[in-house]
Amino acid sequence: SSELTQDPAVSVALGQTVRITCQGDSLRSYYASWYQQKPGQAPVLVIYGKNNRPSGIPDRFSGSSSGNTASLTITGAQAEDEADYYCNSRDSSGNHLQVFGGGTKLTVL
Amino acid sequence: QVQLQESGPGLVKPSQTLSLTCTVSGGSISSGGYYWSWIRQHPGKGLEWIGYIYYSGSTYYNPSLKSRVTISVDTSKNQFSLKLSSVTAADTAVYYCARGSVVVTAIYYFDYWGQGTLVTVSS
């Protein structure tokens, strides 16, 4: 099955822009979705498809994709954005499976 | 607003079967286009997809768990369930139910999640 690789940790200064990346062969065929998870809480969908935000997600969150890499960008990071971020896509093996990245812990300095 | 809520025992003995139910409110589980899913998270670790059941009844499982997992749906109760057999301490995790959506064939995402339930495997 496919794997999705994320950097374990990323930091950003308050108000600055940060990009969190996700790499995997499945991303050549399927879009990534991105989830924010704060301690003790369930994951929340923040980006899906080419660059779609569910209702209630601030527009400072955006997504992009190129080749085997998907990116989540936070423009003007806020203190409340400090969280774990996970990417997800359908597996490219043809078996209709799902795979998650290992997660990136974002620290807002 | 769709809401999902997990329920089931928080403690399961080794070698027994873990059974959880997810109750869906705010929408019908038999409406088309959704994948009713189970996802787990080991303590301090990342998310692991367990499997899902399509509204048609088709099931898809993580190959690493496939031999022990069964996901089923009860449309009369608007619920779907997870059974994981022969559990060990390695199955201790927070278990989430979630609704999976698909747009065309290239866009999949989990848009609604339950709050999660911790299941501990211990004697």
Side-chain angles (χ1 to χ4, degrees):
Chain A
S1 64
S2 299
E3 292 184 353
L4 296 177
T5 301
Q6 297 182 241
D7 291 328
V10 171
S11 61
V12 62
L14 184 67
Q16 295 304 301
T17 297
V18 62
R19 176 176 292 180
I20 298 170
T21 61
C22 174
Q23 288 188 303
D25 287 342
S26 63
L27 300 178
R28 297 184 185 279
S29 303
Y30 300 101
Y31 285 100
S33 54
W34 290 92
Y35 306 85
Q36 177 192 71
Q37 186 180 36
K38 297 181 179 179
Q41 297 183 17
V44 172
L45 176 69
V46 294
I47 290 288
Y48 66 97
K50 190 172 185 180
N51 182 20
N52 299 290
R53 283 177 290 105
S55 174
I57 301 301
D59 61 5
R60 62 179 179 272
F61 289 88
S62 63
S64 61
S65 183
S66 178
N68 73 335
T69 302
S71 300
L72 172 70
T73 300
I74 307 174
T75 303
Q78 302 300 302
E80 60 264 33
D81 300 333
E82 184 162 294
D84 294 327
Y85 291 85
Y86 295 92
C87 60
N88 153 251
S89 82
R90 176 174 162 172
D91 182 275
S92 58
S93 67
N95 294 324
H96 214 293
L97 310 178
Q98 293 286 325
V99 62
F100 284 93
T104 297
K105 179 169 181 56
L106 175 66
T107 300
V108 179
L109 304 172
Chain B
Q1 177 79 347
V2 175
Q3 293 184 313
L4 294 87
Q5 178 68 58
E6 305 89 352
S7 59
L11 181 65
V12 181
K13 289 181 167 43
S15 81
Q16 294 190 343
T17 296
L18 179 160
S19 296
L20 295 174
T21 296
C22 183
T23 300
V24 180
S25 58
S28 173
I29 202 169
S30 55
S31 59
Y34 299 116
Y35 296 84
W36 301 98
S37 313
W38 289 97
I39 295 159
R40 72 180 182 179
Q41 186 170 34
H42 294 102
K45 302 298 184 181
L47 301 170
E48 179 182 27
W49 176 73
I50 297 171
Y52 46 41
I53 186 165
Y54 196 42
Y55 78 103
S56 63
S58 299
T59 52
Y60 305 89
Y61 301 133
N62 186 322
S64 68
L65 299 169
K66 186 174 182 178
S67 63
R68 300 194 290 131
V69 172
T70 302
I71 297 175
S72 59
V73 65
D74 185 339
T75 54
S76 68
K77 295 182 179 178
N78 223 34
Q79 296 175 335
F80 63 105
S81 298
L82 168 71
K83 291 189 185 299
L84 181 66
S85 64
S86 305
V87 297
T88 69
D91 295 308
T92 294
V94 174
Y95 286 76
Y96 295 99
C97 58
R99 189 182 82 169
S101 295
V102 58
V103 178
V104 296
T105 59
I107 303 173
Y108 290 76
Y109 52 96
F110 299 100
D111 51 1
Y112 293 98
W113 296 64
Q115 65 186 23
T117 187
L118 174 63
V119 178
T120 301
V121 179
S122 175
S123 55

